[in-house]
Amino acid sequence: MKIGIVCYPTFGGSGVLATELGKALADKGHQVHLISYRQPARMDSFHENIFFHEVRIADYPLFEYPPYESALSSKLVDVIQYEQLDMLHVHYAIPHAATAFMAKQILAEKGYHIPVITTLHGTDITLVGKDETYEPVVSFSINQSDGVTAVSEYLKADTFKHFNITRPIEVIPNFVDMKRFMPANKDHFRKAIAPDGEKIMIHTSNFRKVKRVEDVVLIFHKVNKEVPSKLLLIGDGPERPHIENLCRQLGTCDQIRFLGKQEAVEELLAISDLFIMPSASESFGLAALEAMACRVPVISSNTGGIPEINIQGETGFLSDVGNIEDMAQNALILLRDPGMLEKFRENALRQAQTHDIKHILPKYEAYYQQVIRESKQDPVMS
Ligand code: GMT
């Protein structure tokens, strides 16, 4: 099959997931055309079945806001027609579902039918999408997609709750490539970070407000008073200056390492004891699943789709959003009990294995076939 994939190229979860899906489809022999404004962060090596198409925006002094949607739609028309694609799969509804609709209409005028699947990832629905600035376009373009998937049951329910959706949504959960996330023996690396055998807590995110990185630092501050420990903060984003200031105020700078954007996140996860995800909203929590793939239990909030992957009292502990005290206590319970921590590590690994790409990829392939079949039967409706 020849598949076009549209995504954000950044370290955000939707871009990571879309790129990993593209790589897995390419490994299975499909031809994958990745379309974005920059080479996606996780597209780190050459693959004979992956083709990257960069969307360029012609600048003009009149454009205070460059018309990215128009440039993307035009690029889609070009790639789909020239490469004779069978399917277009867009990740994150804004603006990708609307641009896909536009490209589909233009191609229809030329007699070319392209089925479109939109995958909803999270904030495109839960935060940004339902804002009145975007809602009418998001609702319309979801309904115009030939297929729609959501990454969790929670996100599916939330989409029906907040939008007037007239078509079914298929839940296909996010995945990890267990081969990539195999924990390696990194004792020397661990020694460099925690020379005196301190416990290591880790958080990865794009440092947006919704991630509540401040809570991560406050939880760590409480834990660190009781158990010698270090905190690794991976990623970057708008909240970082504020978080750095907070560390200075708390006097914890020596215990906290800001490591910025890291491609080999698995190497850092592999030396960690606990993953902290106190998010205010999280449709799935791919970063937590990646931690579990490295045998790292998760201390998280109980919001959104997180309880679908982090199982209370098995793979980690869940608390109400903002309950720093409870999260710190849960972290201490695990860090003080090596037997319990080991048990949770095994559970976390087993949970991640159920989301291995080898189980999830066939779901996407079957859904592609279904959507292509259905849209052929009813090309006018689709
Ligand atoms: O918030 C992010 O990390 C980025 C965002 C995105 O769409 O790029 O992530 C969302 O999609 C991920 C992949 O499906 C999910 O694992 C995240 O839970 C979701 N983020 C939120 O819902 C806040």
Side-chain angles (χ1 to χ4, degrees), residues 8 10-17 92 119-124 126-127 151 154-155 174 205-206 208 210-211 277 279-287 306:
Y8 283 101
T10 49
F11 277 93
S14 64
V16 167
L17 200 280
Y92 203 90
T119 289
L120 310 174
H121 278 275
T123 49
D124 45 352
T126 55
L127 217 63
V151 299
Y154 159 80
L155 187 59
N174 285 337
S205 78
N206 43 25
R208 283 184 284 147
V210 69
K211 302 294 177 184
M277 179 178 265
S279 304
S281 158
E282 202 71 64
S283 69
F284 182 89
L286 183 59
I306 299 179

PDB file of all heavy atoms in Angstrom, residues 8 10-17 92 119-124 126-127 151 154-155 174 205-206 208 210-211 277 279-287 306, ligand 1:
ATOM      1  N   TYR A   8       2.964  16.620  12.897  1.00  0.00           N
ATOM      2  CA  TYR A   8       3.898  17.645  13.367  1.00  0.00           C
ATOM      3  C   TYR A   8       5.266  16.970  13.517  1.00  0.00           C
ATOM      4  O   TYR A   8       5.343  15.813  13.962  1.00  0.00           O
ATOM      5  CB  TYR A   8       3.446  18.218  14.712  1.00  0.00           C
ATOM      6  CG  TYR A   8       2.308  19.201  14.561  1.00  0.00           C
ATOM      7  CD1 TYR A   8       0.999  18.831  14.832  1.00  0.00           C
ATOM      8  CD2 TYR A   8       2.557  20.490  14.105  1.00  0.00           C
ATOM      9  CE1 TYR A   8      -0.045  19.730  14.668  1.00  0.00           C
ATOM     10  CE2 TYR A   8       1.530  21.387  13.938  1.00  0.00           C
ATOM     11  CZ  TYR A   8       0.234  21.013  14.215  1.00  0.00           C
ATOM     12  OH  TYR A   8      -0.780  21.900  14.032  1.00  0.00           O
ATOM     13  N   THR A  10       7.666  17.748  15.542  1.00  0.00           N
ATOM     14  CA  THR A  10       8.299  18.033  16.831  1.00  0.00           C
ATOM     15  C   THR A  10       8.312  16.796  17.740  1.00  0.00           C
ATOM     16  O   THR A  10       7.828  15.736  17.356  1.00  0.00           O
ATOM     17  CB  THR A  10       7.525  19.157  17.533  1.00  0.00           C
ATOM     18  OG1 THR A  10       6.144  18.808  17.474  1.00  0.00           O
ATOM     19  CG2 THR A  10       7.710  20.479  16.829  1.00  0.00           C
ATOM     20  N   PHE A  11       8.813  16.987  18.968  1.00  0.00           N
ATOM     21  CA  PHE A  11       8.901  15.870  19.909  1.00  0.00           C
ATOM     22  C   PHE A  11       7.547  15.551  20.557  1.00  0.00           C
ATOM     23  O   PHE A  11       7.465  14.654  21.370  1.00  0.00           O
ATOM     24  CB  PHE A  11       9.941  16.159  20.999  1.00  0.00           C
ATOM     25  CG  PHE A  11      11.345  15.845  20.575  1.00  0.00           C
ATOM     26  CD1 PHE A  11      12.149  16.822  20.016  1.00  0.00           C
ATOM     27  CD2 PHE A  11      11.857  14.566  20.709  1.00  0.00           C
ATOM     28  CE1 PHE A  11      13.449  16.532  19.613  1.00  0.00           C
ATOM     29  CE2 PHE A  11      13.158  14.269  20.307  1.00  0.00           C
ATOM     30  CZ  PHE A  11      13.949  15.257  19.752  1.00  0.00           C
ATOM     31  N   GLY A  12       6.491  16.314  20.225  1.00  0.00           N
ATOM     32  CA  GLY A  12       5.166  16.037  20.798  1.00  0.00           C
ATOM     33  C   GLY A  12       4.717  14.620  20.462  1.00  0.00           C
ATOM     34  O   GLY A  12       5.149  14.034  19.460  1.00  0.00           O
ATOM     35  N   GLY A  13       3.833  14.091  21.310  1.00  0.00           N
ATOM     36  CA  GLY A  13       3.421  12.693  21.188  1.00  0.00           C
ATOM     37  C   GLY A  13       2.843  12.323  19.832  1.00  0.00           C
ATOM     38  O   GLY A  13       3.118  11.235  19.321  1.00  0.00           O
ATOM     39  N   SER A  14       2.054  13.222  19.223  1.00  0.00           N
ATOM     40  CA  SER A  14       1.410  12.846  17.966  1.00  0.00           C
ATOM     41  C   SER A  14       2.439  12.664  16.856  1.00  0.00           C
ATOM     42  O   SER A  14       2.326  11.746  16.037  1.00  0.00           O
ATOM     43  CB  SER A  14       0.359  13.888  17.573  1.00  0.00           C
ATOM     44  OG  SER A  14       0.959  15.130  17.322  1.00  0.00           O
ATOM     45  N   GLY A  15       3.462  13.528  16.853  1.00  0.00           N
ATOM     46  CA  GLY A  15       4.509  13.422  15.835  1.00  0.00           C
ATOM     47  C   GLY A  15       5.350  12.161  16.032  1.00  0.00           C
ATOM     48  O   GLY A  15       5.716  11.476  15.071  1.00  0.00           O
ATOM     49  N   VAL A  16       5.631  11.859  17.297  1.00  0.00           N
ATOM     50  CA  VAL A  16       6.410  10.651  17.616  1.00  0.00           C
ATOM     51  C   VAL A  16       5.645   9.419  17.147  1.00  0.00           C
ATOM     52  O   VAL A  16       6.178   8.545  16.445  1.00  0.00           O
ATOM     53  CB  VAL A  16       6.671  10.564  19.145  1.00  0.00           C
ATOM     54  CG1 VAL A  16       7.184   9.192  19.544  1.00  0.00           C
ATOM     55  CG2 VAL A  16       7.650  11.653  19.568  1.00  0.00           C
ATOM     56  N   LEU A  17       4.368   9.374  17.515  1.00  0.00           N
ATOM     57  CA  LEU A  17       3.543   8.213  17.186  1.00  0.00           C
ATOM     58  C   LEU A  17       3.422   8.042  15.666  1.00  0.00           C
ATOM     59  O   LEU A  17       3.591   6.937  15.132  1.00  0.00           O
ATOM     60  CB  LEU A  17       2.163   8.411  17.831  1.00  0.00           C
ATOM     61  CG  LEU A  17       1.246   7.226  18.062  1.00  0.00           C
ATOM     62  CD1 LEU A  17       0.525   6.823  16.793  1.00  0.00           C
ATOM     63  CD2 LEU A  17       1.973   6.032  18.670  1.00  0.00           C
ATOM     64  N   TYR A  92      -3.333  14.428  14.422  1.00  0.00           N
ATOM     65  CA  TYR A  92      -3.669  15.668  15.119  1.00  0.00           C
ATOM     66  C   TYR A  92      -4.593  16.460  14.194  1.00  0.00           C
ATOM     67  O   TYR A  92      -4.200  16.877  13.094  1.00  0.00           O
ATOM     68  CB  TYR A  92      -2.418  16.487  15.476  1.00  0.00           C
ATOM     69  CG  TYR A  92      -2.619  17.451  16.620  1.00  0.00           C
ATOM     70  CD1 TYR A  92      -2.388  17.049  17.925  1.00  0.00           C
ATOM     71  CD2 TYR A  92      -3.037  18.749  16.393  1.00  0.00           C
ATOM     72  CE1 TYR A  92      -2.571  17.942  18.986  1.00  0.00           C
ATOM     73  CE2 TYR A  92      -3.222  19.636  17.441  1.00  0.00           C
ATOM     74  CZ  TYR A  92      -2.985  19.229  18.737  1.00  0.00           C
ATOM     75  OH  TYR A  92      -3.148  20.101  19.777  1.00  0.00           O
ATOM     76  N   THR A 119      -6.410  10.793  12.828  1.00  0.00           N
ATOM     77  CA  THR A 119      -6.194  10.265  14.182  1.00  0.00           C
ATOM     78  C   THR A 119      -6.187  11.424  15.178  1.00  0.00           C
ATOM     79  O   THR A 119      -5.412  12.370  15.037  1.00  0.00           O
ATOM     80  CB  THR A 119      -4.880   9.452  14.266  1.00  0.00           C
ATOM     81  OG1 THR A 119      -5.072   8.226  13.548  1.00  0.00           O
ATOM     82  CG2 THR A 119      -4.515   9.103  15.709  1.00  0.00           C
ATOM     83  N   LEU A 120      -7.083  11.331  16.139  1.00  0.00           N
ATOM     84  CA  LEU A 120      -7.181  12.344  17.194  1.00  0.00           C
ATOM     85  C   LEU A 120      -6.193  11.963  18.293  1.00  0.00           C
ATOM     86  O   LEU A 120      -6.144  10.802  18.708  1.00  0.00           O
ATOM     87  CB  LEU A 120      -8.606  12.382  17.748  1.00  0.00           C
ATOM     88  CG  LEU A 120      -9.704  12.481  16.679  1.00  0.00           C
ATOM     89  CD1 LEU A 120     -11.081  12.356  17.316  1.00  0.00           C
ATOM     90  CD2 LEU A 120      -9.576  13.789  15.911  1.00  0.00           C
ATOM     91  N   HIS A 121      -5.419  12.945  18.738  1.00  0.00           N
ATOM     92  CA  HIS A 121      -4.362  12.614  19.706  1.00  0.00           C
ATOM     93  C   HIS A 121      -4.592  13.141  21.110  1.00  0.00           C
ATOM     94  O   HIS A 121      -4.091  12.567  22.069  1.00  0.00           O
ATOM     95  CB  HIS A 121      -3.015  13.098  19.188  1.00  0.00           C
ATOM     96  CG  HIS A 121      -2.401  12.136  18.224  1.00  0.00           C
ATOM     97  ND1 HIS A 121      -1.640  11.064  18.624  1.00  0.00           N
ATOM     98  CD2 HIS A 121      -2.476  12.055  16.887  1.00  0.00           C
ATOM     99  CE1 HIS A 121      -1.248  10.372  17.569  1.00  0.00           C
ATOM    100  NE2 HIS A 121      -1.751  10.956  16.493  1.00  0.00           N
ATOM    101  N   GLY A 122      -5.270  14.264  21.223  1.00  0.00           N
ATOM    102  CA  GLY A 122      -5.428  14.764  22.599  1.00  0.00           C
ATOM    103  C   GLY A 122      -5.837  16.198  22.630  1.00  0.00           C
ATOM    104  O   GLY A 122      -7.020  16.536  22.518  1.00  0.00           O
ATOM    105  N   THR A 123      -4.849  17.088  22.700  1.00  0.00           N
ATOM    106  CA  THR A 123      -5.178  18.509  22.855  1.00  0.00           C
ATOM    107  C   THR A 123      -5.914  19.058  21.628  1.00  0.00           C
ATOM    108  O   THR A 123      -6.563  20.098  21.721  1.00  0.00           O
ATOM    109  CB  THR A 123      -3.901  19.337  23.120  1.00  0.00           C
ATOM    110  OG1 THR A 123      -2.925  18.979  22.139  1.00  0.00           O
ATOM    111  CG2 THR A 123      -3.364  19.051  24.500  1.00  0.00           C
ATOM    112  N   ASP A 124      -5.805  18.352  20.483  1.00  0.00           N
ATOM    113  CA  ASP A 124      -6.582  18.768  19.305  1.00  0.00           C
ATOM    114  C   ASP A 124      -8.084  18.646  19.601  1.00  0.00           C
ATOM    115  O   ASP A 124      -8.913  19.229  18.911  1.00  0.00           O
ATOM    116  CB  ASP A 124      -6.209  17.960  18.049  1.00  0.00           C
ATOM    117  CG  ASP A 124      -6.095  16.462  18.273  1.00  0.00           C
ATOM    118  OD1 ASP A 124      -6.155  16.018  19.426  1.00  0.00           O
ATOM    119  OD2 ASP A 124      -5.967  15.722  17.276  1.00  0.00           O
ATOM    120  N   THR A 126      -9.216  17.940  23.399  1.00  0.00           N
ATOM    121  CA  THR A 126      -9.499  18.259  24.797  1.00  0.00           C
ATOM    122  C   THR A 126      -9.206  19.708  25.171  1.00  0.00           C
ATOM    123  O   THR A 126      -9.785  20.231  26.111  1.00  0.00           O
ATOM    124  CB  THR A 126      -8.676  17.347  25.728  1.00  0.00           C
ATOM    125  OG1 THR A 126      -7.291  17.486  25.360  1.00  0.00           O
ATOM    126  CG2 THR A 126      -9.064  15.894  25.596  1.00  0.00           C
ATOM    127  N   LEU A 127      -8.285  20.348  24.458  1.00  0.00           N
ATOM    128  CA  LEU A 127      -7.860  21.693  24.884  1.00  0.00           C
ATOM    129  C   LEU A 127      -8.103  22.713  23.770  1.00  0.00           C
ATOM    130  O   LEU A 127      -8.979  23.556  23.872  1.00  0.00           O
ATOM    131  CB  LEU A 127      -6.366  21.635  25.234  1.00  0.00           C
ATOM    132  CG  LEU A 127      -5.863  22.456  26.398  1.00  0.00           C
ATOM    133  CD1 LEU A 127      -6.497  21.996  27.688  1.00  0.00           C
ATOM    134  CD2 LEU A 127      -4.352  22.339  26.488  1.00  0.00           C
ATOM    135  N   VAL A 151      -6.799   7.723  20.266  1.00  0.00           N
ATOM    136  CA  VAL A 151      -5.750   6.914  20.889  1.00  0.00           C
ATOM    137  C   VAL A 151      -6.162   6.296  22.232  1.00  0.00           C
ATOM    138  O   VAL A 151      -5.399   5.524  22.806  1.00  0.00           O
ATOM    139  CB  VAL A 151      -4.429   7.705  21.050  1.00  0.00           C
ATOM    140  CG1 VAL A 151      -3.894   8.159  19.696  1.00  0.00           C
ATOM    141  CG2 VAL A 151      -4.618   8.917  21.972  1.00  0.00           C
ATOM    142  N   TYR A 154     -11.016   7.073  26.469  1.00  0.00           N
ATOM    143  CA  TYR A 154     -11.334   8.380  27.065  1.00  0.00           C
ATOM    144  C   TYR A 154     -11.463   9.443  25.978  1.00  0.00           C
ATOM    145  O   TYR A 154     -12.411  10.228  25.959  1.00  0.00           O
ATOM    146  CB  TYR A 154     -10.242   8.772  28.071  1.00  0.00           C
ATOM    147  CG  TYR A 154     -10.226  10.249  28.336  1.00  0.00           C
ATOM    148  CD1 TYR A 154     -11.142  10.822  29.212  1.00  0.00           C
ATOM    149  CD2 TYR A 154      -9.337  11.081  27.649  1.00  0.00           C
ATOM    150  CE1 TYR A 154     -11.165  12.196  29.409  1.00  0.00           C
ATOM    151  CE2 TYR A 154      -9.363  12.448  27.848  1.00  0.00           C
ATOM    152  CZ  TYR A 154     -10.276  12.997  28.727  1.00  0.00           C
ATOM    153  OH  TYR A 154     -10.303  14.348  28.910  1.00  0.00           O
ATOM    154  N   LEU A 155     -10.499   9.461  25.048  1.00  0.00           N
ATOM    155  CA  LEU A 155     -10.504  10.505  24.013  1.00  0.00           C
ATOM    156  C   LEU A 155     -11.706  10.346  23.082  1.00  0.00           C
ATOM    157  O   LEU A 155     -12.316  11.338  22.666  1.00  0.00           O
ATOM    158  CB  LEU A 155      -9.191  10.470  23.214  1.00  0.00           C
ATOM    159  CG  LEU A 155      -9.001  11.607  22.217  1.00  0.00           C
ATOM    160  CD1 LEU A 155      -9.042  12.972  22.902  1.00  0.00           C
ATOM    161  CD2 LEU A 155      -7.691  11.457  21.449  1.00  0.00           C
ATOM    162  N   ASN A 174      -2.134   3.874  21.439  1.00  0.00           N
ATOM    163  CA  ASN A 174      -0.741   4.121  21.070  1.00  0.00           C
ATOM    164  C   ASN A 174       0.121   2.897  21.368  1.00  0.00           C
ATOM    165  O   ASN A 174      -0.287   1.983  22.085  1.00  0.00           O
ATOM    166  CB  ASN A 174      -0.211   5.334  21.832  1.00  0.00           C
ATOM    167  CG  ASN A 174      -0.759   6.630  21.267  1.00  0.00           C
ATOM    168  OD1 ASN A 174      -1.156   6.675  20.103  1.00  0.00           O
ATOM    169  ND2 ASN A 174      -0.805   7.677  22.074  1.00  0.00           N
ATOM    170  N   SER A 205       8.748  15.690  28.750  1.00  0.00           N
ATOM    171  CA  SER A 205       7.574  16.360  28.170  1.00  0.00           C
ATOM    172  C   SER A 205       8.030  17.552  27.349  1.00  0.00           C
ATOM    173  O   SER A 205       9.232  17.843  27.258  1.00  0.00           O
ATOM    174  CB  SER A 205       6.602  16.836  29.250  1.00  0.00           C
ATOM    175  OG  SER A 205       7.063  18.026  29.857  1.00  0.00           O
ATOM    176  N   ASN A 206       7.040  18.231  26.776  1.00  0.00           N
ATOM    177  CA  ASN A 206       7.357  19.451  26.028  1.00  0.00           C
ATOM    178  C   ASN A 206       7.168  20.701  26.894  1.00  0.00           C
ATOM    179  O   ASN A 206       7.035  21.800  26.373  1.00  0.00           O
ATOM    180  CB  ASN A 206       6.541  19.527  24.737  1.00  0.00           C
ATOM    181  CG  ASN A 206       5.100  19.124  24.991  1.00  0.00           C
ATOM    182  OD1 ASN A 206       4.607  19.232  26.124  1.00  0.00           O
ATOM    183  ND2 ASN A 206       4.416  18.659  23.976  1.00  0.00           N
ATOM    184  N   ARG A 208       4.914  22.152  28.518  1.00  0.00           N
ATOM    185  CA  ARG A 208       3.772  23.063  28.395  1.00  0.00           C
ATOM    186  C   ARG A 208       3.025  23.037  29.722  1.00  0.00           C
ATOM    187  O   ARG A 208       3.147  22.093  30.499  1.00  0.00           O
ATOM    188  CB  ARG A 208       2.869  22.621  27.237  1.00  0.00           C
ATOM    189  CG  ARG A 208       3.454  22.992  25.891  1.00  0.00           C
ATOM    190  CD  ARG A 208       2.503  22.641  24.780  1.00  0.00           C
ATOM    191  NE  ARG A 208       2.500  21.221  24.522  1.00  0.00           N
ATOM    192  CZ  ARG A 208       1.428  20.533  24.120  1.00  0.00           C
ATOM    193  NH1 ARG A 208       0.281  21.134  23.935  1.00  0.00           N
ATOM    194  NH2 ARG A 208       1.507  19.246  23.898  1.00  0.00           N
ATOM    195  N   VAL A 210       0.096  22.292  30.554  1.00  0.00           N
ATOM    196  CA  VAL A 210      -0.744  21.121  30.775  1.00  0.00           C
ATOM    197  C   VAL A 210       0.037  19.952  31.425  1.00  0.00           C
ATOM    198  O   VAL A 210      -0.539  19.093  32.084  1.00  0.00           O
ATOM    199  CB  VAL A 210      -1.398  20.702  29.424  1.00  0.00           C
ATOM    200  CG1 VAL A 210      -0.354  20.155  28.461  1.00  0.00           C
ATOM    201  CG2 VAL A 210      -2.526  19.707  29.608  1.00  0.00           C
ATOM    202  N   LYS A 211       1.367  19.974  31.294  1.00  0.00           N
ATOM    203  CA  LYS A 211       2.197  18.881  31.839  1.00  0.00           C
ATOM    204  C   LYS A 211       2.489  19.052  33.329  1.00  0.00           C
ATOM    205  O   LYS A 211       2.983  18.145  33.963  1.00  0.00           O
ATOM    206  CB  LYS A 211       3.514  18.780  31.065  1.00  0.00           C
ATOM    207  CG  LYS A 211       3.352  18.543  29.585  1.00  0.00           C
ATOM    208  CD  LYS A 211       2.750  17.179  29.295  1.00  0.00           C
ATOM    209  CE  LYS A 211       2.530  16.971  27.811  1.00  0.00           C
ATOM    210  NZ  LYS A 211       1.875  15.700  27.489  1.00  0.00           N
ATOM    211  N   MET A 277       4.401  11.711  35.941  1.00  0.00           N
ATOM    212  CA  MET A 277       3.516  12.345  34.947  1.00  0.00           C
ATOM    213  C   MET A 277       2.292  12.945  35.663  1.00  0.00           C
ATOM    214  O   MET A 277       1.243  12.322  35.746  1.00  0.00           O
ATOM    215  CB  MET A 277       3.074  11.306  33.905  1.00  0.00           C
ATOM    216  CG  MET A 277       2.142  11.871  32.865  1.00  0.00           C
ATOM    217  SD  MET A 277       1.665  10.674  31.599  1.00  0.00           S
ATOM    218  CE  MET A 277       2.857  11.039  30.330  1.00  0.00           C
ATOM    219  N   SER A 279       0.287  15.331  34.770  1.00  0.00           N
ATOM    220  CA  SER A 279      -0.437  16.180  33.802  1.00  0.00           C
ATOM    221  C   SER A 279      -1.844  16.569  34.241  1.00  0.00           C
ATOM    222  O   SER A 279      -2.555  15.792  34.887  1.00  0.00           O
ATOM    223  CB  SER A 279      -0.562  15.453  32.460  1.00  0.00           C
ATOM    224  OG  SER A 279       0.684  15.068  31.985  1.00  0.00           O
ATOM    225  N   ALA A 280      -2.247  17.767  33.808  1.00  0.00           N
ATOM    226  CA  ALA A 280      -3.614  18.238  34.054  1.00  0.00           C
ATOM    227  C   ALA A 280      -4.583  17.551  33.108  1.00  0.00           C
ATOM    228  O   ALA A 280      -5.768  17.392  33.419  1.00  0.00           O
ATOM    229  CB  ALA A 280      -3.686  19.743  33.845  1.00  0.00           C
ATOM    230  N   SER A 281      -4.081  17.154  31.954  1.00  0.00           N
ATOM    231  CA  SER A 281      -4.914  16.494  30.949  1.00  0.00           C
ATOM    232  C   SER A 281      -3.985  15.645  30.098  1.00  0.00           C
ATOM    233  O   SER A 281      -2.872  16.085  29.772  1.00  0.00           O
ATOM    234  CB  SER A 281      -5.604  17.575  30.112  1.00  0.00           C
ATOM    235  OG  SER A 281      -5.990  17.067  28.863  1.00  0.00           O
ATOM    236  N   GLU A 282      -4.399  14.440  29.787  1.00  0.00           N
ATOM    237  CA  GLU A 282      -3.531  13.547  29.004  1.00  0.00           C
ATOM    238  C   GLU A 282      -4.437  12.517  28.343  1.00  0.00           C
ATOM    239  O   GLU A 282      -5.048  11.698  29.021  1.00  0.00           O
ATOM    240  CB  GLU A 282      -2.541  12.867  29.954  1.00  0.00           C
ATOM    241  CG  GLU A 282      -1.291  12.335  29.330  1.00  0.00           C
ATOM    242  CD  GLU A 282      -0.306  13.414  28.874  1.00  0.00           C
ATOM    243  OE1 GLU A 282       0.214  14.147  29.740  1.00  0.00           O
ATOM    244  OE2 GLU A 282      -0.064  13.516  27.676  1.00  0.00           O
ATOM    245  N   SER A 283      -4.529  12.565  27.028  1.00  0.00           N
ATOM    246  CA  SER A 283      -5.457  11.645  26.369  1.00  0.00           C
ATOM    247  C   SER A 283      -4.977  10.203  26.449  1.00  0.00           C
ATOM    248  O   SER A 283      -5.754   9.271  26.469  1.00  0.00           O
ATOM    249  CB  SER A 283      -5.617  12.022  24.901  1.00  0.00           C
ATOM    250  OG  SER A 283      -4.411  11.751  24.234  1.00  0.00           O
ATOM    251  N   PHE A 284      -3.666  10.020  26.494  1.00  0.00           N
ATOM    252  CA  PHE A 284      -3.098   8.676  26.544  1.00  0.00           C
ATOM    253  C   PHE A 284      -1.889   8.619  27.487  1.00  0.00           C
ATOM    254  O   PHE A 284      -1.894   7.872  28.451  1.00  0.00           O
ATOM    255  CB  PHE A 284      -2.691   8.225  25.128  1.00  0.00           C
ATOM    256  CG  PHE A 284      -2.143   6.824  25.084  1.00  0.00           C
ATOM    257  CD1 PHE A 284      -2.984   5.735  24.903  1.00  0.00           C
ATOM    258  CD2 PHE A 284      -0.786   6.594  25.243  1.00  0.00           C
ATOM    259  CE1 PHE A 284      -2.473   4.443  24.889  1.00  0.00           C
ATOM    260  CE2 PHE A 284      -0.264   5.298  25.228  1.00  0.00           C
ATOM    261  CZ  PHE A 284      -1.112   4.229  25.047  1.00  0.00           C
ATOM    262  N   GLY A 285      -0.877   9.412  27.152  1.00  0.00           N
ATOM    263  CA  GLY A 285       0.347   9.398  27.974  1.00  0.00           C
ATOM    264  C   GLY A 285       1.407   8.489  27.379  1.00  0.00           C
ATOM    265  O   GLY A 285       1.923   7.594  28.053  1.00  0.00           O
ATOM    266  N   LEU A 286       1.729   8.755  26.113  1.00  0.00           N
ATOM    267  CA  LEU A 286       2.716   7.915  25.417  1.00  0.00           C
ATOM    268  C   LEU A 286       4.050   7.879  26.158  1.00  0.00           C
ATOM    269  O   LEU A 286       4.710   6.840  26.214  1.00  0.00           O
ATOM    270  CB  LEU A 286       2.900   8.458  23.986  1.00  0.00           C
ATOM    271  CG  LEU A 286       3.838   7.688  23.067  1.00  0.00           C
ATOM    272  CD1 LEU A 286       3.382   6.241  22.875  1.00  0.00           C
ATOM    273  CD2 LEU A 286       3.961   8.382  21.705  1.00  0.00           C
ATOM    274  N   ALA A 287       4.429   9.005  26.739  1.00  0.00           N
ATOM    275  CA  ALA A 287       5.718   9.069  27.443  1.00  0.00           C
ATOM    276  C   ALA A 287       5.741   8.076  28.608  1.00  0.00           C
ATOM    277  O   ALA A 287       6.775   7.457  28.891  1.00  0.00           O
ATOM    278  CB  ALA A 287       5.953  10.486  27.953  1.00  0.00           C
ATOM    279  N   ILE A 306      -4.906   8.254  31.093  1.00  0.00           N
ATOM    280  CA  ILE A 306      -3.777   7.661  31.834  1.00  0.00           C
ATOM    281  C   ILE A 306      -4.187   6.359  32.540  1.00  0.00           C
ATOM    282  O   ILE A 306      -3.449   5.374  32.485  1.00  0.00           O
ATOM    283  CB  ILE A 306      -3.138   8.667  32.832  1.00  0.00           C
ATOM    284  CG1 ILE A 306      -2.597   9.882  32.084  1.00  0.00           C
ATOM    285  CG2 ILE A 306      -2.008   8.003  33.612  1.00  0.00           C
ATOM    286  CD1 ILE A 306      -1.957  10.943  32.988  1.00  0.00           C
TER     287      ILE A 306
HETATM  288  O1  GMT B   1       1.048  16.905  24.817  1.00  0.00           O
HETATM  289  C1  GMT B   1       1.863  16.310  24.119  1.00  0.00           C
HETATM  290  O2  GMT B   1       2.811  15.634  24.548  1.00  0.00           O
HETATM  291  C2  GMT B   1       1.771  16.436  22.657  1.00  0.00           C
HETATM  292  C3  GMT B   1       0.487  15.915  22.181  1.00  0.00           C
HETATM  293  C4  GMT B   1       0.458  15.842  20.715  1.00  0.00           C
HETATM  294  O3  GMT B   1      -0.595  15.575  20.202  1.00  0.00           O
HETATM  295  O4  GMT B   1       1.467  16.078  20.032  1.00  0.00           O
HETATM  296  O5  GMT B   1       0.262  14.653  22.835  1.00  0.00           O
HETATM  297  C5  GMT B   1      -1.003  14.071  22.793  1.00  0.00           C
HETATM  298  O6  GMT B   1      -0.850  12.936  21.963  1.00  0.00           O
HETATM  299  C6  GMT B   1      -0.027  11.893  22.484  1.00  0.00           C
HETATM  300  C7  GMT B   1       0.114  10.807  21.411  1.00  0.00           C
HETATM  301  O7  GMT B   1      -1.114  10.270  21.065  1.00  0.00           O
HETATM  302  C8  GMT B   1      -0.638  11.364  23.778  1.00  0.00           C
HETATM  303  O8  GMT B   1       0.148  10.322  24.298  1.00  0.00           O
HETATM  304  C9  GMT B   1      -0.716  12.523  24.783  1.00  0.00           C
HETATM  305  O9  GMT B   1      -1.386  12.044  25.934  1.00  0.00           O
HETATM  306  C10 GMT B   1      -1.486  13.689  24.204  1.00  0.00           C
HETATM  307  N1  GMT B   1      -1.344  14.842  25.097  1.00  0.00           N
HETATM  308  C11 GMT B   1      -2.376  15.323  25.802  1.00  0.00           C
HETATM  309  O10 GMT B   1      -3.492  14.859  25.759  1.00  0.00           O
HETATM  310  C12 GMT B   1      -2.042  16.487  26.675  1.00  0.00           C
END
